[in-house]
Amino acid sequence: MKNKTFIIDGTYYMYKYYFAIPMLRNNFGKPTNIIYGFINMINIIYKKYNPNNIIFVFDSKKKNFRKKIFKKYKKNRSIMPKEIIDQIKPLNFLIKNLGIPIVSIPLIEADDTIGILSKIENKKKNYVFILTNDKDIYQIINSKTFILENFYKIIGKNEVKEKYKIFPKNIPDYLSLVGDKSDNIPGVPCIGKKTAQILIKKYKNLKNIYKNIEEIKYLNIKNKIKIIKNLKEKKKETIFSLKLTRLNLNFKIKNKLKNLKLKNPNIKKLNIFFKENNFKNKIIFKNITF
């Protein structure tokens, strides 16, 4: 594929490497395990995929619209550990001096920003590969947008259909029915994965499910009378959940997403940074090794 843009959910990978890589510290006693993980990630992307562009997206410190309208949204997540906070500034220094653009927009969640960026890149006829672990992002997968899972497994429309038995666009409907523990979205009692898949396959989306709710009693599913009852009782919450799980691609932030192109790295600053943090591994970047 030509014209490949890699969009990376930086917030997810900070947590991933914090827990996945044993704690490393530099000569000043500062933690560096997350930074080390990011260096390896960038190396893998360059060596394996030779990208035309890379963009890191991070969540903003300010509350996004989902937290404003739903106080329990992601409330089950713990406070960011100090060892992660201590690595944010040097991590930003590394990425910026590699010439890789960073995007973090106040009040807008990283997922929505990733969705808008993907749409912009698709219009430029670029293929988009998204590195994340967030199921919400599956909804924007199309013929030119993919999820790159664990760096090597490419998730496209067919893979979503095989895994969830639904199309990518129906992921918000699916999550509003089954719930999403990571985002504290409750779902509808008695509706599991298989039932949600049957309902979406039959009625296409949540709106049509409610429109044809009385027909559910004729379907070949367990506890259908109880499911109808629960759907009715939880209608307000379920429709509200759909609003939370569906990405908002209509934010007017395109001006903030212009000129997000790779620049030449600052090799002098990077070499000093590597020495200060005891990193002996090399980065291969834009055909430059340092």
Side-chain angles (χ1 to χ4, degrees), residues 197-209:
Q197 288 163 359
I198 291 169
L199 292 174
I200 292 170
K201 186 178 179 180
K202 174 72 175 175
Y203 300 112
K204 309 302 179 186
N205 54 50
L206 189 65
K207 184 179 179 180
N208 284 339
I209 289 171

Side-chain angles (χ1 to χ4, degrees), residues 37-182:
F38 271 70
I39 290 169
N40 286 337
M41 170 171 56
I42 293 165
N43 268 335
I44 291 170
I45 293 170
Y46 263 89
K47 289 176 182 177
K48 185 168 177 62
Y49 298 102
N50 189 27
N52 301 90
N53 198 15
I54 298 177
I55 302 169
F56 276 97
V57 179
F58 289 88
D59 276 318
S60 167
K61 291 180 182 179
K62 293 185 178 181
K63 286 184 178 180
N64 59 68
F65 81 95
R66 290 183 181 85
K67 286 185 179 179
K68 284 189 172 184
I69 64 174
F70 184 46
K71 291 182 180 180
K72 292 182 180 179
Y73 184 69
K74 294 186 177 180
K75 199 168 184 179
N76 51 348
R77 299 190 184 186
S78 56
I79 297 171
M80 184 180 284
K82 185 179 182 299
E83 288 83 1
I84 295 181
I85 296 171
D86 288 346
Q87 295 182 71
I88 292 174
K89 191 173 179 179
L91 181 61
N92 274 272
F93 179 90
L94 169 71
I95 296 169
K96 285 179 180 178
N97 282 285
L98 280 168
I100 301 174
I102 298 174
V103 179
S104 179
I105 301 176
L107 307 178
I108 299 176
E109 199 167 359
D111 292 354
D112 302 298
T113 304
I114 289 170
I116 295 167
L117 272 171
S118 299
K119 197 174 177 181
I120 291 169
E121 292 297 313
N122 285 164
K123 284 183 178 179
K124 295 177 185 176
K125 298 184 179 179
N126 294 337
Y127 289 94
V128 175
F129 294 86
I130 302 168
L131 281 76
T132 185
N133 193 45
D134 201 321
K135 293 188 288 293
D136 293 351
I137 299 293
Y138 278 53
Q139 64 191 271
I140 62 170
I141 288 175
N142 57 43
S143 58
K144 284 193 172 184
T145 300
F146 309 88
I147 303 292
L148 187 59
E149 194 174 88
N150 296 322
F151 303 118
Y152 297 101
K153 186 178 180 182
I154 296 173
I155 307 294
K157 291 190 295 184
N158 292 336
E159 286 74 19
V160 173
K161 189 91 185 297
E162 185 179 341
K163 183 176 182 179
Y164 291 101
K165 314 301 179 190
I166 57 175
F167 293 106
K169 67 179 181 180
N170 293 127
I171 290 294
D173 304 275
Y174 174 82
L175 292 174
S176 66
L177 290 170
V178 302
D180 187 355
K181 288 183 180 179
S182 64

Side-chain angles (χ1 to χ4, degrees), residues 144 219 240 244 284:
K144 284 193 172 184
L219 299 181
F240 182 69
L244 296 173
I284 298 174

